[in-house]
């Protein structure tokens, strides 16, 4: 299966001549050369390409830490409502519907996370982290209390490190404890009056609940620091534990993980941020609130300003609202229960050691003597998507697996079979994998060594 | 079926058997949460049926007034062909993840490669990434790139005094953790005051940012000079624009732009309350400083062309605190839609659309200018999609009265409105002019 | 691009080259049409852009009043889950043709096989075809089948005196070319007058047709007796029903039905101005007399299970004037949607939905019955979805007044209305009752 | 690729017990046994099945006489308008939008076919034929002129024969002339005062225009018969010839062929019927007309009654209207021009004899010594959909090919290559074909010999 590039189907140069241009020549470019194709050709192009793409509706997608849940199609209809298609610079008076929905979603998220105020502005989880750390920074500054460090466990998502650095903090990396959780003694050593915040995922990136969370929170708070919750794993806890109740001061939600908005091949997501009452005045601007039956936008008193040019990924937020409303208390709690059950059941069926536990919605198996990435490639040959591999790093040859609640037992058994048969295959078969897919193993090194990032680059190479 | 999540497929019997298989008595047993922090309350969110959620949200959204919007200022929409909705909604695209297993995600990778290629063609720069969140974060990332990659020792980032507030505030936050300082330079009659800029630029300037068109819709007539001024002092020249304007206005590479940022969601997306698609393109020289994802061509083991995410060592999941950016999830699906829309238009359609952005704005300005107490456009020169309108009466009152007549326009000064026209509202310009007459 | 069809991909250059390749000077040269009948006029239909066509049709359709419909009588709708729209619109389903090359159309064939299987389960009869146009043509085809396959020499087809006019008129047309005659038998209080029917049935009856529920919504209490009467005289018993009723009411096979016809579009389709999906199921004995397409299981050359259209020698493209029917294009895509909706509901959901059809109708009837000058239901016994309402005042006037209040009901007699309730309008029954109070 | 049946994934029996049933036991069935599956499982089921299906958006679909054009996706949006979702028993007053659109479409079709009045009721082409023949019959009966025969060329669509028989007529089959067209002498011999109508496709089923159409019309009319136009091939003539101008009295339109409404895997279609003024009073009931600025439904004076329980396939008609409005005069004419150009170009590239010409939008090549059906199966291996085979019968081993206007030259070249490479392959390869598709050659004989028409039948077989 090979679908030519658009540019290989047609390439047409359109000249921009002064005579039929509304602009003088010196304000315009000379020409544009792009593919000129008809609608039927494009329909086929993209239909074929779509069929060359794995997705949640194709089959299991057990990428650990990515939470690839089923995305209910009705949420797409809801977001396609023409009344949702409004400009952000409209008056509040003429956009009451949008503001009401945003306000309701702020409220829902607050209840789910145990947070007092929620901003919906961050357009992705990482942007949420950035907004959250800006809030922490502003809080400390407002207290005349400049702090220079953010503590991040070694097992944390890369975004935590990058975000802290982006906000100008020094990153203090906390090694994992022997049981895979935060080493409280190491934390004690790391925490100081320079500590602006500790960023924590709970359950952590191998699915373990940080049992010492109350103690951890006390330690950080005693030192005047704040506790930041990375919401990437919230799908494990719905209805059973709330970051706000555990002592977290700030958290972000990944609505494309926990609330089933589609990942769209890498985005758009949305990363709302919840904070405790004390921090509400620092939230990004504008914030939505109800006043006397109508909704308004306002700037929180000590707002950190903006992390997005407008109001974030509105259409994604609509889908998240629809999902939460569809499930309600019972559905959300059940989603987590089944996500955790599935992870536990699958781990039981897989012939691999899982060094750390008890885990929740995901588990980090170790491929042991095998190369985890090779095993993953071989799994492609068995018709499933493999788990996240070689991460987190403290698990050797990690295969971080998160089936989510949407698989049933049959499909988990299929997944397990793919694991086990891959593991039983020879080293040669693994290195040669995938051999049954349309595309064979792709040379990543060559792509990086000789970057060809456009069809222009390919054309140049051919010449 | 069990009660609970409609999207969890387990029957009660299956749940029991699975619990038995893992040696647990109940689902609760699987949660290793200390008593002290166990949540046993309720959210108080009632589950609703699919049709009821649809009805409820439709009812809520219907509270948005039905206005004809003449709004722009960085969030622009054109008619999105049905094809784009239909194909982009295919679940293989919509419900897929980042392409970490390229062997089974060639489809999406190729679309992103094509998106990058279109931007390479339109900007004239050889490197374009897969997307930033929006124009504001793209600009902010450009400043950070200038900080990292700078050719000079300077810390100053120069931006025009007329800049959308949202952009400026995002930029401020992104550079707050660096040693960069943002300063403004003056504008003259809506475009860059070249002499003033030149006077301001020194060897301590890391980046000069200019826009074409400006936030007020003015087409910048002396871009190449800005490029030269930047180049002479060793500063990076960052140009802000949008994907439709690129099809007609001067090619960024030809005026010396080092980085191009802006909005690409004017194609592919309906008006969506500011949800965007940050475009980001740059010179080869800064390739390893680029934030966000890049798709590159490669070969598979059978030597067939294949695509893959590449140069990932720039990114947070590998480089952690030394990453070029913390961005992870981006706007990939929006980029896919934009690529589809651009492909649908083709070069002829794109250029035509861009020309209409000039002519429609000119005609509407001329019509408004004919009204008593109105002057448009306020700024001389050429405009793209939008322009500032002077009204003798207080602008706020006029805008509010126009809203009552069913039209939305921007208020940008005490006596200034801003009006944006695209193919979506072009058939309503007569009605807008009448409404102006009504409320003046 | 060339002007002309936006869906013909030819560039001008390509057209020229292709003309050259076939040795023609112009496209006109390719048309071998005698001068006398060449058309050189114009249709006078102006081409419009996609968005303009969309806007124009939306404007036209908006002239349909926004009424809450309590209408049924053979065209019923229930809430169609978004999943059905999303998946059925996938172009691989929507834009495919009849499965004459089964090797590359297994997907659609399997869905049709599953559709047939669901109807086999619901009717209890072993053969169900892929679809007829609607209930009326399905009934008419059943009569023709009875004529071909008849076990007796008779020519009489007995239908209830209460029958939707549309059904009756289609039936009349379908039997007009045969020696069959359609006669009615009497009803008693809305259901079959068994004694009268028995008296009317003789050995010259080819088919007895009865409905459950009837067009007035009555549930037929003595179906098995009708089956026995038919069977005793050698007549075929044809039962009319719908796919939701089948999930709750007596199983057709168990009451001796030889053919089951009716509407299946109560699942899968929105209210669509009468666009239907004729269901057609029968006994094994009549397999080779079935009209329309059948999908069967088979094996491929690798001995794997596969599906294919089968027994095509019944059909017009092979058997020509000796075919069982002239049907070619059918309602395949509607059947696909219906199968999806039925699968979405599952047996629990289907049975629940059917139960609601009984209870919602009962409640609404009771509420209306409480109004002065109103009696409902007119007929004793149980009802499914709908029922007849007696009003002391002229029914037409009441219906017209109700329409002014935003509600549509059927007028079925001088003082009789008919009201249908489903999950789509169940939340509006209170409003309907209030409207009745208003207009009485 | 194998996707289990729904019933293989789950089978659940739901009992209907008197206690929780709203009906007494003797009015209900005992139980229902069907698959009970969740939404994610169904989404995957149907997504996978869709990927196992060829379609216009997958690639070329050159089925002769089927006219598989591209179906513009915007027409789906138009038909999904909630205002289109109305019940047919509404008052005319409250359904003016629907009536206006129907009236406008009647008008458009009349202009395109050169007909004076058009009914939109027939839900498919064959139903249109039936309505048309009913009109002819009613016309003759109204003239006190019972006629018993309908003449149909041997090359005609099977529906023509079946329809005439269904309406109670004897079918007189007219052998094809040596040039592939109607043999005028044979027709002369066949026409008599028993002739109710001659049914004709023009261009005929091998794409040839019936050059003697004026003479043919005269012969039929002189005998008191009517001329019926089968609209299956109208895509060849748009803007260049109108059946009404050629002497046809009645015609049907296949909107899913000519006007690009989707075929939906076999339906729904729509088969509007146009007639000349003299026959308008016989059209089906109800008919739509405008009176004083508003639209009404009425029964034509001598209406044949109904061929559909309500108003036919309304949503299909909306799509047809949208297509016609999008293209207009120029677009429709161009569609035909390109359809004819494509057929001629493709025929030129294919290494097969095309015995009859000049053809228009389709051509009947002959596979000669090869088995046309085998060649077709082999073409599947080259990644295209083959043409219609072994029909019409007067062409030996016919491969009736209709690329339509939506293919471009590259795709026609691909098609030609598939033809030619298949033809060059060995007899063995052909008989073994397809060998590269997911399903191999399917045994049709076994399916018919041992009919298994439901999952119940498969279960029974296994036991």
């Amino acid at each position: 299966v090979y679908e030519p590039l658009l540019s290989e189907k047609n390439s047409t140069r359109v000249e921009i001549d002064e005579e039929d241009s509304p602009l003088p020549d010196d304000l315009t470019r000379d020409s544009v050369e792009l593919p000129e194709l008809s609608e039927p050709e494009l329909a086929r192009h993209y239909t074929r390409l779509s069929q060359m793409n794995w997705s949640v509706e194709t089959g299991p997608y057990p990428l650990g830490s990515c939470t690839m849940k089923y995305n209910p199609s009705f949420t797409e209809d809801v977001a396609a409502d023409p009344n949702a298609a409004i400009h952000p610079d409209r008056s509040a008076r003429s956009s009451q519907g949008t503001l009401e929905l945003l306000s309701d979603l702020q409220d829902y998220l607050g209840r789910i996370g145990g947070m007092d105020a929620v901003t919906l502005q961050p357009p992705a989880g990482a942007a949420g982290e950035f907004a959250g750390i800006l809030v922490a920074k502003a809080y400390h500054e407002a207290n005349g209390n400049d702090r220079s460090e953010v503590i991040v466990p070694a097992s944390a998502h890369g975004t935590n490190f990058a975000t802290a650095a982006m906000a100008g903090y020094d990153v203090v990396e906390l090694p994992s404890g022997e049981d895979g959780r935060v080493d409280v003694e190491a934390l004690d050593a790391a925490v100081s009056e320079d500590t602006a915040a500790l960023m924590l995922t709970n359950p952590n990136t191998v699915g373990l609940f940080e049992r010492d969370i109350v103690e951890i929170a006390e330690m950080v708070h005693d030192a005047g620091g704040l506790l930041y919750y990375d919401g990437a794993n919230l799908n494990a806890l719905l209805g059973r534990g709330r970051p706000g109740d555990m002592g977290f001061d700030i958290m972000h939600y990944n609505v494309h993980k926990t609330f089933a908005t589609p990942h769209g091949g890498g985005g758009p997501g949305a990363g709302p941020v919840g904070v405790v009452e004390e921090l509400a005045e620092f939230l990004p601007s504008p914030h939505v609130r109800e006043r006397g039956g109508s909704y308004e936008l306002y700037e929180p008193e000590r707002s950190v300003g903006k992390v997005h040019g407008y109001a974030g990924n509105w259409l994604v937020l609509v889908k998240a609202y629809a999902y939460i409303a569809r499930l309600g208390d019972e559905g959300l709690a059940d989603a987590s229960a089944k996500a955790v059950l599935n992870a536990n059941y699958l781990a039981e069926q897989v012939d691999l050691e899982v060094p750390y536990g008890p885990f929740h919605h995901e588990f980090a198996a170790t491929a042991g003597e095998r190369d985890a990435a090779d095993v993953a490639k071989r799994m492609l040959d068995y018709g499933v998507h493999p788990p996240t591999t070689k991460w987190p790093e403290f698990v050797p040859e990690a295969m971080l697996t998160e089936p989510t609640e949407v698989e049933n037992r049959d499909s988990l058994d299929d997944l397990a079979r793919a694991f086990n048969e891959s593991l039983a295959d020879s080293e040669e078969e693994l290195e040669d994998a995938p051999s049954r897919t349309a595309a064979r193993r792709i040379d990543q090194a060559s792509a990086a060594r000789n970057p060809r990032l456009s069809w222009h680059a390919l054309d140049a190479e051919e010449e | 079926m069990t009660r609970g999540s409609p999207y969890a497929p387990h029957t009660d019997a299956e749940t029991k058997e699975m619990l038995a298989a893992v040696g647990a008595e109940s689902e609760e047993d699987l949660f290793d949460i200390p008593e002290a922090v166990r949540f046993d309350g309720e959210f108080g969110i009632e589950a609703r049926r699919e049709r009821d959620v649809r009805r409820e949200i439709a009812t809520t959204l219907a509270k948005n007034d039905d206005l004809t919007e003449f709004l722009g200022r960085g969030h622009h929409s054109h008619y999105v062909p049905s094809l784009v909705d239909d194909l982009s909604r295919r679940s293989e695209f919509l419900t897929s993840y980042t392409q970490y297993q390229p062997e089974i995600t060639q489809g999406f990778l190729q679309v992103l490669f094509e998106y990058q290629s279109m931007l390479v063609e339109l900007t004239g720069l050889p490197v374009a990434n897969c997307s930033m969140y929006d124009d504001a974060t793209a600009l902010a990332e450009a400043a950070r790139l200038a900080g990292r990659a700078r050719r000079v020792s300077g810390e100053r980032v120069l931006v025009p005094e007329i800049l959308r507030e949202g952009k400026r505030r995002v930029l401020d936050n992104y550079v707050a953790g660096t040693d960069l300082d943002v300063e403004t330079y003056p504008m003259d009659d809506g475009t860059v005051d070249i002499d003033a800029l030149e006077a301001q630029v020194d060897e301590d300037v890391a980046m000069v940012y200019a826009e074409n068109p400006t936030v007020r819709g003015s087409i910048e007539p002396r871009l190449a000079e800005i490029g030269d001024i930047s180049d002479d002092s060793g500063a990076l020249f960052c140009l802000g624009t949008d994907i439709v304007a690129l099809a007609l206005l001067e090619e960024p590479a030809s005026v010396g732009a080092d980085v191009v940022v802006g909005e690409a969601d004017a194609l592919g997306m309906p008006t969506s309350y500011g949800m965007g698609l940050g475009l980001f393109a740059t010179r080869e020289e800064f390739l390893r400083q680029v934030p966000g994802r890049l798709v590159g061509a490669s070969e598979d083991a059978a030597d067939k062309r294949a695509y893959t995410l590449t140069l990932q060592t720039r990114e947070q999941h590998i480089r952690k605190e030394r990453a070029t950016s913390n961005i992870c999830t981006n706007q990939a699906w929006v980029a896919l839609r934009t690529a589809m829309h651009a492909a649908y238009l083709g070069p002829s359609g794109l250029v035509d659309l861009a020309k209409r952005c000039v002519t429609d704005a000119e005609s509407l300005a001329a019509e408004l200018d004919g009204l008593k107490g109105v002057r448009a456009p306020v700024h001389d020169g050429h405009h793209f999609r939008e322009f500032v309108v002077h009204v003798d009466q207080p602008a706020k009152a006029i805008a509010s009265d126009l809203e009552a007549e069913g039209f939305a326009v921007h208020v940008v000064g005490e006596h200034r409105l801003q009006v944006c026209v695209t193919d979506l509202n072009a058939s309503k310009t007569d009605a807008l002019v009448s409404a102006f007459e009504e409320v003046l």
Side-chain angles (χ1 to χ4, degrees), chain A, chain B:
Chain A
V1 199
Y2 168 71
E3 174 66 14
L5 286 166
L6 288 173
S7 59
E8 291 167 327
K9 299 183 182 211
N10 181 276
S11 189
T12 298
R13 178 174 295 280
V14 171
E15 310 284 339
I16 292 154
D17 297 324
E18 188 149 17
E19 56 231 66
D20 59 358
S21 164
L23 293 175
D25 217 24
D26 61 340
L27 294 188
T28 64
R29 59 192 299 147
D30 297 332
S31 65
V32 183
E33 183 175 353
L34 285 170
E36 182 95 51
L37 295 160
S38 71
E39 184 167 331
E41 292 168 286
L42 292 173
R44 284 189 188 156
H45 180 69
Y46 292 113
T47 299
R48 289 176 188 146
L49 288 179
S50 77
Q51 293 185 341
M52 293 158 65
N53 218 61
W54 191 264
S55 71
V56 170
E57 294 200 12
T58 316
Y61 219 141
L63 276 174
S65 118
C66 299
T67 318
M68 294 299 290
K69 299 162 71 136
Y70 171 71
N71 312 125
S73 72
F74 89 95
T75 64
E76 295 301 315
D77 294 330
V78 160
D81 191 323
N83 286 320
I86 67 167
H87 192 284
D89 284 349
R90 270 194 182 210
S91 69
R93 191 179 52 192
S94 70
S95 48
Q96 286 292 301
T98 290
L99 297 182
E100 178 177 335
L101 194 143
L102 291 173
S103 171
D104 288 349
L105 180 56
Q106 288 175 185
D107 175 49
Y108 279 177
L109 292 177
R111 296 194 221 177
I112 291 168
M115 290 284 154
D116 297 314
V118 176
T119 176
L120 304 174
Q121 187 179 108
E129 293 179 20
F130 186 56
I133 293 299
L134 287 177
V135 165
K137 197 173 186 182
Y139 165 82
H140 291 305
E141 283 172 7
N143 292 342
N145 188 358
D146 263 5
R147 286 164 175 249
S148 59
E149 293 176 357
V150 168
I151 304 175
V152 182
S155 65
H157 298 109
T159 48
N160 291 180
F161 301 88
T163 299
M166 201 168 146
Y169 284 111
D170 295 330
V171 177
V172 178
E173 187 172 311
L174 203 62
S176 292
E178 267 183 34
D179 65 349
R181 298 182 179 76
V182 168
D183 179 337
V184 178
E185 283 177 31
L187 177 63
D188 193 33
V191 167
S192 75
E193 58 189 17
D194 286 329
T195 303
L198 165 65
M199 298 180 84
L200 219 55
T201 311
N202 194 17
N204 69 14
T205 53
V206 291
L208 311 185
F209 194 88
E210 297 290 352
R211 292 170 179 155
D212 302 319
I213 187 62
V214 174
E215 193 183 346
I216 292 169
E218 267 174 25
M219 286 166 61
V220 174
H221 286 154
D222 286 350
L226 295 172
L227 208 58
Y228 182 97
Y229 181 84
D230 175 337
N233 291 347
L234 188 59
N235 204 44
L237 290 189
L238 294 167
R240 296 203 172 62
R242 307 196 305 174
D245 302 338
M246 300 170 198
F248 286 95
D249 305 293
I250 310 173
M251 72 175 286
H252 78 260
Y253 308 75
N254 294 87
V255 306
H256 49 303
K257 300 186 186 202
T258 317
F259 304 117
T261 67
H263 280 70
V273 170
V275 295
V276 295
E277 189 61 47
E278 202 179 352
L279 301 176
E281 61 182 339
F282 298 102
L283 285 180
S285 171
H287 197 247
V288 182
R289 70 179 167 203
E290 197 204 333
R291 277 285 158 97
S294 74
Y295 297 87
E296 62 177 29
L297 291 164
Y298 75 103
E299 172 142 355
E301 212 167 325
R302 298 168 165 200
S303 173
V304 297
K306 294 182 70 60
V307 295
H308 184 267
Y310 286 110
N313 284 332
W314 155 243
L315 295 178
V316 175
L317 298 169
V318 175
K319 298 177 200 180
Y321 177 88
Y323 178 82
I324 295 171
R326 174 81 183 90
L327 268 68
D329 278 66
E330 205 177 295
L332 292 169
D334 186 51
S336 279
K338 294 307 189 302
V340 173
L341 175 61
N342 277 0
N344 278 273
Y345 178 82
L346 179 59
E348 197 69 37
Q349 316 302 317
V350 170
D351 302 335
L352 279 176
E353 192 199 343
V354 180
Y356 301 106
F359 50 83
H360 291 78
H361 67 305
E362 64 186 358
F363 61 90
T366 171
E369 301 299 303
R370 314 304 290 263
D371 182 286
D374 286 344
V375 176
K377 291 293 177 208
R378 185 58 177 164
M379 286 177 74
L380 299 177
D381 283 333
Y382 291 100
V384 301
H385 196 288
T388 302
T389 54
K390 305 213 172 194
W391 189 86
E393 288 140 4
F394 74 93
V395 179
E397 297 300 330
M399 304 197 77
L400 183 65
T401 309
E402 179 182 6
T404 87
E405 68 272 20
V406 306
E407 306 305 327
N408 64 8
R409 192 182 41 185
D410 286 348
S411 126
L412 295 171
D413 289 342
D414 287 347
L415 254 177
R417 210 169 304 124
F419 268 100
N420 297 337
E421 293 186 8
S422 299
L423 290 163
D425 284 335
S426 71
E427 203 59 41
E428 203 179 1
E429 283 168 315
L430 260 58
E431 280 166 21
D432 197 41
S435 57
R436 297 175 195 149
T437 51
R440 301 286 304 277
R441 179 99 57 124
I442 291 168
D443 187 348
Q444 311 242 16
S446 136
R449 205 168 45 237
N450 172 22
R452 288 153 293 170
L453 306 177
S454 66
W455 58 55
H456 305 77
L458 291 171
D459 289 349
E461 195 178 47
E462 270 175 30
E463 275 158 19
Chain B
M1 300 295 281
T2 63
R3 283 140 74 226
S5 169
Y7 310 118
H10 310 64
T11 59
D12 286 342
E14 198 171 81
T15 300
K16 261 187 210 151
E17 291 161 17
M18 289 171 70
L19 282 169
V22 302
E25 302 227 326
S26 75
E27 290 168 352
E28 298 317 313
D29 282 1
L30 299 171
F31 288 87
D32 177 39
I33 304 181
E35 199 56 45
V37 293
R38 268 224 183 204
F39 176 68
D40 58 3
E42 284 181 1
F43 303 145
I45 302 172
E46 199 193 349
R48 281 150 271 182
R49 288 176 303 186
E50 179 180 305
R51 63 173 165 281
D52 294 332
V53 178
R54 290 178 71 171
R55 197 184 295 145
E56 176 198 317
I57 295 179
T59 304
T60 301
L61 291 175
K63 296 177 189 170
N64 287 338
D65 294 346
D66 187 14
L67 301 181
T68 302
E69 299 178 338
F70 284 85
L71 301 172
R73 290 180 65 82
H75 188 60
H76 301 109
S77 312
H78 296 278
Y79 173 75
V80 180
S82 168
L83 184 84
V84 173
D85 285 327
D86 195 31
L87 294 170
S88 69
R89 205 178 145 166
R90 287 180 63 84
S91 56
E92 298 96 324
F93 288 137
L94 184 64
T95 75
S96 66
Y97 192 68
T98 307
Q99 299 74 30
Y100 291 135
Q101 294 290 349
E103 291 83 2
I104 56 169
T105 47
Q106 284 296 297
F108 213 118
L109 285 163
Q110 183 168 334
V111 177
L112 292 174
F113 185 83
E114 291 173 350
Y115 166 82
Q116 291 176 179
S117 301
M118 290 175 186
L119 285 179
V120 165
E121 171 65 22
L122 290 170
T123 60
L125 296 172
V127 177
N129 78 6
C130 281
S131 68
M132 303 270 89
Y133 306 128
D134 68 347
D135 56 358
T137 54
L139 165 58
E141 292 278 14
R144 293 180 61 95
L145 181 149
R148 288 192 300 276
R150 84 189 84 169
R151 295 176 278 204
V152 296
S153 59
E155 300 170 357
R156 295 165 63 210
V157 171
L158 300 189
V159 302
E161 61 179 359
I162 304 172
L163 187 66
R164 217 178 71 226
E165 190 209 354
K167 265 188 198 169
R168 174 62 198 261
R169 295 186 79 176
V170 171
L171 174 60
D172 286 346
N173 271 330
Y174 269 62
V175 302
T178 70
D179 57 1
L180 298 171
D181 289 314
V182 182
E183 273 176 42
T184 62
Y185 61 81
M187 305 285 277
D188 177 26
D189 193 25
T191 54
V192 174
D193 181 337
I194 297 284
D195 295 339
L197 175 66
E198 185 153 25
Q200 224 168 315
V201 173
D202 214 332
E203 281 180 9
D204 60 355
V205 173
M207 181 174 105
V208 174
Y209 175 65
E211 299 189 333
N212 187 34
T214 70
V215 63
R216 293 181 179 173
S218 290
I219 296 173
E220 185 62 61
R222 297 167 71 181
L223 275 180
E225 292 176 56
I226 305 173
D228 288 344
I229 291 168
S230 308
D231 198 40
D232 289 348
S233 74
L236 256 64
F237 174 26
C238 175
L239 179 66
T241 182
D242 79 75
I243 191 166
V244 179
L246 280 170
L248 181 64
L249 306 188
E250 287 182 90
E251 187 196 61
S254 75
V255 296
D258 297 292
V259 185
V260 177
V261 298
E263 265 302 338
D265 81 333
L267 297 183
M269 288 296 280
T271 311
S272 46
Y273 206 61
M275 181 163 167
L277 172 59
L279 71 84
F280 196 99
T282 190
R283 298 197 179 285
E284 188 95 40
E285 158 183 11
F286 305 122
L287 176 58
R288 284 177 168 77
Q289 291 300 337
V290 168
R293 296 188 186 129
L294 293 167
V295 176
S298 185
E299 294 77 33
D300 74 359
D303 272 332
K304 286 193 306 182
R305 169 148 8 114
Y307 306 92
T308 178
L309 293 175
T310 193
L311 299 169
Q312 295 185 64
T313 49
R314 297 165 299 107
E315 294 185 62
Q316 45 73 30
H317 62 283
I318 309 237
R319 188 59 60 88
K320 295 183 167 180
E321 65 268 31
R322 286 180 308 281
T324 54
S325 167
N326 76 336
I327 194 169
C328 174
T329 295
N330 57 21
Q331 304 289 102
W333 185 69
V334 182
L336 171 131
R337 289 178 59 102
T338 297
M340 286 178 175
H341 192 173
Y344 177 91
L345 292 170
S348 323
L350 253 178
V351 169
D352 284 349
L353 184 65
K355 286 178 178 172
R356 281 203 57 185
C357 289
V358 174
T359 52
D360 285 353
E362 269 177 14
S363 322
L364 179 57
E367 283 196 71
L368 290 173
D369 199 50
L371 302 177
K372 212 178 137 78
V374 177
R375 191 158 47 77
V378 165
H379 299 302
D380 284 339
H382 294 280
H383 288 80
F384 197 86
R385 282 201 204 98
E386 52 197 325
F387 52 89
V388 176
V389 179
H390 169 90
V391 283
D392 289 349
Q393 294 172 45
K396 269 196 182 169
I398 297 283
S400 174
D401 290 350
L402 284 172
E403 190 174 298
E405 299 286 323
F407 298 94
V409 299
H410 300 278
V411 176
V412 294
E414 229 174 295
H415 290 276
R416 287 184 168 188
L417 300 171
Q418 188 168 326
V419 171
C420 175
V421 58
T422 72
D423 53 340
L424 288 180
N425 58 17
S427 67
K428 307 282 184 64
T429 51
D430 287 350
L432 177 70
V433 173
S434 304
F436 261 97
E437 284 179 309
E438 197 71 33
V439 306
L440 282 171

